[in-house]
Amino acid sequence: SLCAKLEPYRGDILMTIRLNWNRALVSLLSAQSQVSKSALEDILRTMDMVVHHTKLVDQIDDFLERFASLKHLWWYRQHLWTVFDGSLRGREGQPLHCMSFLRVFNTFSHNMTPFTPTERTQIGSEAVDQVNKWLGRVMQIIESYLGQVGSHFVDLERQHAPVEAAQRMLQVMEVSRAKGRMHQNATAPPGHESRASNRAQLEKLRLLEKA
């Protein structure tokens, strides 16, 4: 009978369930089976789900390696570069996670097979070149941000110079003498960046600080 073919419980209950189901499946699909087609479809659907869920318990590492591995992105590395480049200019902190893309290259070596030894050199050298290219792109973005911050810092440093205070006093005297007419060549006084008309520039500085 079917029950006589089943494996007795020996400690690993989930493995025992899968082994017994495989043995039962052979009997159910044999020509001598008396189970109707509709009932067999229901049994197969239910047991497939049970077997799948048991593997998620005691074979989760194998499942992750099989279905969640990023090594297959090697074959889509051009599209991966596009996504990476877009993340550098993304919003809401996306650039903060751009370095996570570099971890993907740790999985590319898993695409090597013992049947083609040349893949080791090909995939390895191309992966290193791609990482260098990505790091160079990150450095370009950092340098551009540092250039913008540096230019603003120079402007603020110039505004705090003693000559600016003297120039501001001279401007006030000229305005009072001209009865409200501003001196056309006068530079902006210290603190002008805090005016409402310059709030866009302040917001830009805050974004650079967050980046």
Side-chain angles (χ1 to χ4, degrees), residues 5 53 70-71 119 133 137 141 150 152 162 183-184 198:
K5 300 178 182 179
H53 281 79
L70 301 176
K71 68 177 184 179
E119 286 182 345
K133 182 180 179 182
R137 180 62 174 153
I141 298 298
H152 286 293
H183 193 273
Q184 297 298 325
N198 296 320

Side-chain angles (χ1 to χ4, degrees), residues 12-13 63 67 71 73 78 89 112 136 138 159 175 182 186 189 200:
D12 191 344
I13 186 171
F63 260 62
F67 297 106
K71 68 177 184 179
L73 292 176
Q78 295 300 329
R89 300 291 186 180
M112 303 176 188
V138 172
Q159 292 177 21
V175 169
M182 295 292 293

Side-chain angles (χ1 to χ4, degrees), residues 20-21 28 36 40-41 69 73 98 103 108 121 124 139 151 166 180 183 185 195 197:
N20 286 336
W21 167 241
L28 292 173
S36 63
L40 183 59
E41 290 178 352
S69 176
L73 292 176
C98 65
R103 299 182 180 179
F108 287 168
T121 303
M139 292 304 300
S151 63
H183 193 273
N185 296 325
R195 295 177 179 174
S197 57

Side-chain angles (χ1 to χ4, degrees), residues 2 5-8 10 12-26 47 51 54-55:
L2 178 60
K5 300 178 182 179
L6 300 182
E7 180 82 10
R10 294 179 179 177
D12 191 344
I13 186 171
L14 299 180
M15 181 63 72
T16 303
I17 290 175
R18 290 192 293 267
L19 290 175
N20 286 336
W21 167 241
N22 289 333
R23 292 183 175 90
L25 186 61
V26 173
M47 288 308 300
V51 169
T54 59
K55 289 181 178 180

